[in-house]
Amino acid sequence: MGRRGTPGPHGEAADADTDGEAEAGQAAAAAAAAGAGAGAGAEEAEAWPPGAGPGPPLWRLPEELLLLICSYLDSQALGRLGQVSRRLQRFTSRDLLWRPIARACLNSGFTRHGTDLVTSIPVKERVKVSQNWRRGRCRQGTLLKWRRNLMPWMQLEGGCLYLSQAEDIHAYQLRPDGSSLHRRPLAIFSGHEEDVCRFVLANSHVVSGGGDGKIGLHKINGTFSIKFSAHEQEVNCVDCQGGVIVSGSRDRTAKVWSLSSSQLGQCLHTIQTEDRVWSVAISPLLSSFVTGTACCGHVSPLRIWDLTSGQLMTHLGQDFHRGAGVLDVLYETPSTLLSCGYDTYIRYWDIRTSSQKCVMEWEEPHDSALYCVQSDGNHMLASGSSYYGVVRLWDRRQKGCLHAFSLSSPVSSPVYCLRFSTTHLYAAVASALHVLDFKTP
């Protein structure tokens, strides 16, 4: 069941719950605080363990019962209870109590199925930062600038940010605060004769597609590097999983390649898409892949292909307008995916229910094309628009946009790529790399 709270003294609020539960939670907190406050002085001395000896009546309860009582509190009540004493502050900071609250929050590091992706940060701290995402409170900064306009792509892994800049891909070490980076790259991956269009990180390699029609493969922590001719025109997009590379090109083909050393550079399948391919994504089950095309013909711009045979499995959607090309697509689960593009919509597809109609959709309010989309795997979406570097945050439980940030005003530029962690969002526009810091706004 969801929970709802209002901002507490330290901003410890979370999303969800009914007013009745909130009142019950506050009543429980008051009762617990009263029991704790009765012997706060003795408690601070910590001369007695819970459940034994003199002390506040609250501590004579079994720990399991205390946890049960606290599980009825919303984030505001739980935060206030933690202010009664140091012992209660430690007890109410347990991840076990904050996990249900965090799962209802935006970008708290939990997937829809409850998997914790950021175990290194206490859940309570993530709930606090989540409120800044919810309210749009952040500090904007510029990490890098360059002189000529580019179409940069980016990946974020661990404490490193990988950024394509013209023909090269630079790996930068982020500083601990996440809001700055070391200007000297850790590594530079070269080899393309024209600009890198897109790249991915997979199997300890950087896999890139370039305007020269070639695919590049670089070992991240080594010297191995190779490139091979892949398409007759620029490689607009690549994805790599499970020892397989899928590439898409302006030459109206998508190709499947083997990553094994014995077959490296060998094309396994060539798919005639009859349209320029702007985006590709491989299913997490490694059984299929999806292509997003320019929608200049009479076929759906979203199609799913069998990875083993290269045969068409299904199209997604119908009645697309001519030119409604799909610029970005990503799988959230083996059966659900997100897409965005020139038709100004983010669409959420569930192929278990229907391939003809998306489950949900969100429209860019200023009728701008959407160049990229990212998800926290739960409630939050972030998109990059085609004008003035506009980044938008969305709560998928609502129809409208939560917040918008213009990063390139007064000069207009698309947001070509964005990535985010639980504390920061990074966005690449034509001439700069920007950061939004939600941890210390």
Side-chain angles (χ1 to χ4, degrees):
M1 179 180 293
R3 299 171 181 270
R4 178 178 300 276
T6 53
H10 297 285
E12 295 156 340
D15 312 306
D17 231 333
T18 61
D19 292 339
E21 286 185 340
E23 292 173 2
Q26 292 171 3
E43 180 275 328
E44 293 296 340
E46 300 196 12
W48 43 269
L58 178 68
W59 290 118
R60 298 173 191 166
L61 298 174
E63 182 176 291
E64 294 79 4
L65 187 54
L66 282 175
L67 289 171
L68 178 62
I69 292 172
C70 289
S71 71
Y72 287 95
L73 306 184
D74 62 17
S75 61
Q76 180 185 19
L78 200 56
R80 287 176 174 173
L81 181 59
Q83 296 172 13
V84 172
S85 65
R86 284 196 295 267
R87 185 186 293 273
L88 277 173
Q89 193 276 332
R90 289 193 296 271
F91 185 83
T92 57
S93 295
R94 293 188 180 189
D95 285 355
L96 181 65
L97 293 172
W98 287 93
R99 192 171 290 119
I101 297 172
R103 289 184 62 183
C105 291
L106 294 180
N107 196 24
S108 62
F110 285 88
T111 67
R112 186 170 303 176
H113 300 292
T115 304
D116 190 349
L117 305 176
V118 197
T119 55
S120 60
I121 303 175
V123 180
K124 179 180 178 180
E125 295 304 312
R126 285 183 263 160
V127 171
K128 287 184 180 181
V129 177
S130 173
Q131 301 315 301
N132 294 331
W133 291 90
R134 160 69 59 186
R135 298 182 176 93
R137 297 188 306 208
C138 65
R139 179 164 49 91
Q140 297 188 22
T142 301
L143 296 181
L144 292 170
K145 288 185 177 181
W146 43 89
R147 292 186 177 180
R148 63 189 179 102
N149 287 348
L150 302 172
M151 296 175 66
W153 195 252
M154 177 174 46
Q155 299 291 348
L156 187 63
E157 186 172 274
C160 286
L161 189 147
Y162 297 77
L163 179 72
S164 66
Q165 294 177 275
E167 303 90 351
D168 302 325
I169 299 169
H170 294 218
Y172 295 97
Q173 180 71 49
L174 291 169
R175 298 184 189 276
D177 63 3
S179 297
S180 59
L181 49 73
H182 296 276
R183 294 299 182 96
R184 184 183 296 274
L186 290 173
I188 299 177
F189 305 99
S190 304
H192 287 285
E193 296 166 8
E194 295 186 31
D195 288 4
V196 173
C197 296
R198 292 196 182 181
F199 68 93
V200 294
L201 308 179
N203 303 327
S204 301
H205 289 81
V206 177
V207 182
S208 59
D212 54 5
K214 296 179 180 179
I215 291 177
L217 183 65
H218 308 272
K219 186 77 172 176
I220 291 179
N221 297 312
T223 57
F224 174 79
S225 178
I226 191 175
K227 65 176 182 178
F228 55 88
S229 294
H231 291 268
E232 295 177 0
Q233 298 185 48
E234 58 261 43
V235 181
N236 289 323
C237 49
V238 292
D239 196 10
C240 179
Q241 289 192 53
V244 173
I245 300 172
V246 175
S247 60
S249 171
R250 190 182 183 89
D251 66 7
R252 303 187 177 197
T253 65
K255 296 186 179 183
V256 181
W257 310 84
S258 173
L259 195 57
S260 66
S261 56
S262 61
Q263 295 180 298
L264 190 59
Q266 179 178 333
C267 182
L268 302 179
H269 304 292
T270 298
I271 293 99
Q272 301 295 332
T273 61
E274 303 176 14
D275 211 347
R276 291 168 290 175
V277 184
W278 295 133
S279 54
V280 296
I282 300 174
S283 164
L285 293 180
L286 307 180
S287 58
S288 61
F289 67 95
V290 61
T291 56
T293 56
C295 200
C296 292
H298 301 286
V299 295
S300 167
L302 273 173
R303 284 172 284 175
I304 297 178
W305 311 82
D306 185 271
L307 194 58
T308 304
S309 67
Q311 297 299 308
L312 177 65
M313 295 174 63
T314 186
H315 325 206
L316 296 180
Q318 55 188 353
D319 299 328
F320 281 92
H321 298 293
R322 184 177 177 83
V326 176
L327 295 176
D328 200 10
V329 60
L330 63 93
Y331 275 96
E332 285 198 305
T333 71
S335 55
T336 61
L337 54 94
L338 291 161
S339 66
C340 70
Y342 284 119
D343 68 349
T344 76
Y345 280 90
I346 301 171
R347 288 189 168 90
Y348 176 61
W349 306 87
D350 189 336
I351 57 179
R352 296 169 300 183
T353 59
S354 172
S355 62
Q356 298 302 307
K357 186 173 177 58
C358 64
V359 177
M360 298 182 70
E361 61 184 19
W362 300 267
E363 184 178 12
E364 213 285 340
H366 291 164
D367 201 32
S368 299
L370 295 171
Y371 274 59
C372 52
V373 63
Q374 284 289 292
S375 165
D376 69 349
N378 196 4
H379 301 303
M380 194 183 85
L381 302 175
S383 64
S385 302
S386 57
Y387 297 114
Y388 295 104
V390 173
V391 170
R392 295 188 185 276
L393 301 183
W394 310 77
D395 184 338
R396 63 202 311 163
R397 295 166 292 189
Q398 303 175 13
K399 289 295 291 183
C401 164
L402 275 181
H403 301 288
F405 308 91
S406 179
L407 302 180
S408 69
S409 180
V411 179
S412 182
S413 165
V415 177
Y416 289 107
C417 186
L418 60 81
R419 296 289 184 266
F420 58 79
S421 65
T422 56
T423 55
H424 295 79
L425 184 146
Y426 305 92
V429 297
S431 60
L433 174 65
H434 298 278
V435 60
L436 300 179
D437 180 356
F438 289 87
K439 185 177 180 180
T440 54

